[in-house]
């Protein structure tokens, strides 16, 4: 597939005045920029299967969890501020276009761009506005762009037929805690992206066939949990197909290898403790010490760590004696543990 560059994006709908639900319905008509990494199996948030469920109206890509709704709102509400800081720092004019666009040659490719950039010489670029917290700024280290944002930018350049995208990310509370990254169009990567998106849309969404899981195990397990819901402890035992025996044996093999590795880790930890027993004895109740040797100085610390916890029995008493406090402050989250036991068949 060779990319034709003689095209202009088409307007799918004006987003001015759309409700959030209406906006989501239009997004389900194709693949948006924030979906691109999931199509490539590289999203940190959802699998290709999750995206398929969303596009088919089976299930939303991501649930609105209490743990992340604030971060989402902060990102949305600060878009205008991030764009303003970018404009001040670069001297470039930025402006929004409240429309959702589609690729005229690949109409399943959609774009709802944050802002456009007027370079002042007749060229137009794309500005994507992001926010993150101080501890996550390392994801942008060494002039890099997080991979999910990179594919979002490449998707937008493809739809809009533009050659440059800037990412502006605010990670603090002043203009100096601000990251700017520039990315140019790469037609080889774009060709691969279009091919993957076309395959996802035509072979899975349009044919109503679930795509395979290709992502990291934790993300896949979370995807399965979201789709099927909480565990049903009183449900019947499922008679699984013998085809899973290979997977079971692989699991048992890895479990055995992990047990051996854990033994070695414990042995090494014991040896490490033996090595500093005399140092701890000399420190006594003190928490720090130092050793000078030539032009080096070794700073030793032996600091206390405190952990506040409520044991299970105390928690049960709290539930019985003060159910009002228990309900207000105790939350229950579900995780599931996989195990295999082998016994002789009856």
């Amino acid at each position: 597939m060779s990319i034709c560059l003689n095209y202009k994006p088409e307007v799918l709908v004006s987003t001015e005045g759309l409700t959030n639900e209406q906006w989501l319905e239009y997004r389900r008509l194709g693949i948006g920029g924030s979906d691109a990494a999931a199509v490539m199996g590289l999203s940190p948030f959802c699998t290709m299967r999750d995206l398929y469920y969303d596009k088919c109206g089976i299930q939303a890509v991501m649930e609105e969890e209490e743990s992340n709704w604030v971060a989402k709102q902060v990102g949305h509400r600060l878009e205008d501020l991030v764009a303003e800081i970018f404009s001040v720092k670069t001297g470039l004019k930025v402006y929004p276009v409240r429309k959702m666009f589609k690729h005229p040659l690949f109409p399943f490719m959609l774009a709802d761009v944050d802002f456009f950039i007027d370079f002042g010489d007749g060229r137009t670029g794309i500005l994507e506005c992001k926010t993150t917290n101080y501890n996550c700024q390392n994801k942008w280290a060494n002039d890099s762009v997080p991979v999910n944002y990179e594919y979002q930018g490449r998707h937008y350049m493809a739809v809009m037929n533009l050659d440059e995208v800037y990412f502006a990310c605010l990670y603090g509370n002043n203009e100096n805690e601000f990251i700017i990254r520039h990315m140019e169009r790469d037609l080889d990567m774009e060709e691969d992206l279009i091919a993957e998106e076309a395959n996802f849309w035509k072979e899975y969404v349009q044919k109503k066939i679930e795509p395979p899981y290709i992502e990291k195990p934790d993300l896949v397990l979370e995807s399965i949990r979201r789709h099927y819901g909480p565990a049903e402890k009183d449900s019947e035992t499922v008679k699984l197909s013998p085809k899973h025996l290979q997977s079971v044996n692989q699991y048992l093999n890895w479990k055995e290898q992990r047990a051996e590795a854990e033994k070695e880790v414990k042995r090494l930890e014991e040896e490490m403790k033996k090595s500093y027993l005399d140092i701890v004895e000399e420190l006594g109740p003190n928490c720090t010490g130092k050793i000078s040797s030539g032009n080096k100085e070794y700073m030793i610390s032996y600091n206390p760590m405190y952990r506040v916890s409520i044991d299970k029995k105390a928690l049960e008493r709290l539930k019985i004696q003060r159910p009002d406090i228990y309900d207000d402050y105790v939350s229950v989250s579900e995780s599931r543990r996989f195990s295999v036991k082998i016994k002789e068949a009856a």
Side-chain angles (χ1 to χ4, degrees):
M1 177 181 68
S2 58
I3 296 178
C4 170
L5 298 178
N6 184 26
Y7 66 90
K8 291 183 178 180
E10 298 177 358
V11 176
L12 176 65
V13 65
S14 169
T15 57
E16 202 78 55
L18 285 184
T19 65
N20 186 60
E21 186 53 44
Q22 289 172 328
W23 180 78
L24 288 172
E25 285 300 316
Y26 278 107
R27 273 183 55 90
R28 292 190 180 104
L29 297 178
I31 300 168
S34 58
D35 302 327
V39 171
M40 302 299 289
L42 295 171
S43 169
F45 306 114
C46 73
T47 65
M48 198 192 315
R49 182 83 62 89
D50 292 319
L51 186 61
Y52 165 83
Y53 289 146
D54 180 56
K55 298 307 176 184
C56 294
I58 297 171
Q59 172 187 330
V61 172
M62 291 295 289
E63 298 168 341
E64 191 67 17
E65 301 280 1
E66 289 186 3
S67 61
N68 67 6
W69 74 269
V70 172
K72 288 183 178 181
Q73 284 297 317
V74 167
H76 178 68
R77 297 185 188 192
L78 292 183
E79 280 182 2
D80 290 342
L81 175 61
V82 173
E84 184 179 354
I85 296 172
F86 173 84
S87 184
V88 169
K89 281 183 168 290
T90 62
L92 296 171
K93 179 183 176 182
V94 301
Y95 58 95
V97 176
R98 305 303 184 196
K99 295 175 181 177
M100 189 179 293
F101 297 91
K102 68 176 181 177
H103 199 303
L105 306 177
F106 307 100
F108 52 84
M109 295 180 69
L110 310 180
D112 190 356
V113 177
D114 288 345
F115 292 88
F116 290 92
I117 303 170
D118 182 353
F119 290 112
D121 58 2
R123 294 180 302 121
T124 301
I126 293 166
L127 174 64
E128 275 300 298
C129 299
K130 308 297 181 184
T131 57
T132 191
N133 62 59
Y134 198 84
N135 295 325
C136 291
Q137 60 174 304
N138 61 323
K139 294 181 180 179
W140 299 80
N142 303 317
D143 293 326
S144 64
V145 176
V147 66
N148 50 315
Y149 295 154
E150 178 184 354
Y151 277 106
Q152 182 179 21
R154 297 201 182 284
H155 176 98
Y156 286 158
M157 286 189 283
V159 175
M160 304 308 301
N161 199 14
L162 295 174
D163 295 329
E164 296 179 69
V165 60
Y166 276 87
F167 297 92
C169 181
L170 179 67
Y171 64 88
N173 61 1
N174 65 74
E175 63 181 288
N176 295 321
E177 294 174 329
F178 195 78
I179 295 166
I180 296 176
R181 297 286 183 264
H182 175 250
M183 193 169 70
E184 294 182 349
R185 196 172 184 179
D186 183 320
L187 294 180
D188 289 334
M189 290 187 70
E190 186 173 310
E191 188 170 346
D192 290 342
L193 177 61
I194 292 173
E196 292 295 332
E197 291 189 5
N199 183 69
F200 172 77
W201 193 256
K202 295 174 181 177
E203 298 302 318
Y204 298 121
V205 176
Q206 290 186 336
K207 293 182 178 180
K208 296 293 188 292
I209 297 173
E210 293 180 344
Y213 280 122
I214 59 174
E215 298 80 10
K216 292 182 178 179
D218 284 345
L219 197 62
V220 172
L221 289 171
E222 178 58 19
S223 171
I224 295 169
R225 184 201 67 78
R226 277 199 302 267
H227 183 60
Y228 288 101
E232 298 177 4
K233 295 185 70 175
D234 298 326
S235 59
E236 295 181 358
T237 299
V238 177
K239 189 171 183 179
L240 298 169
S241 167
K243 70 178 183 180
H244 296 303
L245 275 176
Q246 182 179 359
S247 297
V248 169
N249 287 323
Q250 285 178 339
Y251 165 81
L252 292 172
N253 180 54
W254 288 119
K255 184 179 180 182
E256 185 177 343
Q257 289 189 45
R258 187 189 69 177
E260 291 299 318
E262 287 173 348
K263 286 181 184 178
E264 180 62 10
V265 168
K266 288 180 180 179
R267 187 189 70 79
L268 292 172
E269 287 176 346
E270 287 295 316
E271 294 299 328
M272 288 168 64
K273 288 176 182 177
K274 286 181 184 178
S275 71
Y276 62 70
L277 289 177
D278 57 335
I279 299 174
V280 171
E281 184 179 15
E282 188 169 341
L283 283 174
N286 300 303
C287 296
T288 59
K290 65 180 179 180
I291 302 171
S292 298
S293 177
N295 61 350
K296 291 183 179 179
E297 195 169 73
Y298 299 84
M299 301 303 299
I300 311 296
S301 63
Y302 190 54
N303 292 320
M305 294 185 294
Y306 305 102
R307 182 167 62 94
V308 178
S309 64
I310 302 177
D311 64 45
K312 189 175 181 181
K313 289 183 178 179
L315 201 59
E316 289 173 352
R317 287 199 305 272
L318 178 64
K319 185 175 183 180
I320 294 170
Q321 297 173 9
R322 295 300 304 270
D324 53 331
I325 296 177
Y326 182 91
D327 291 340
D328 284 344
Y329 290 96
V330 177
S331 60
V332 178
S333 61
E334 179 185 297
S335 62
R336 298 178 70 171
R337 178 175 171 272
F338 186 88
S339 67
V340 175
K341 294 180 180 177
I342 302 175
K343 65 178 184 178
E344 295 297 326

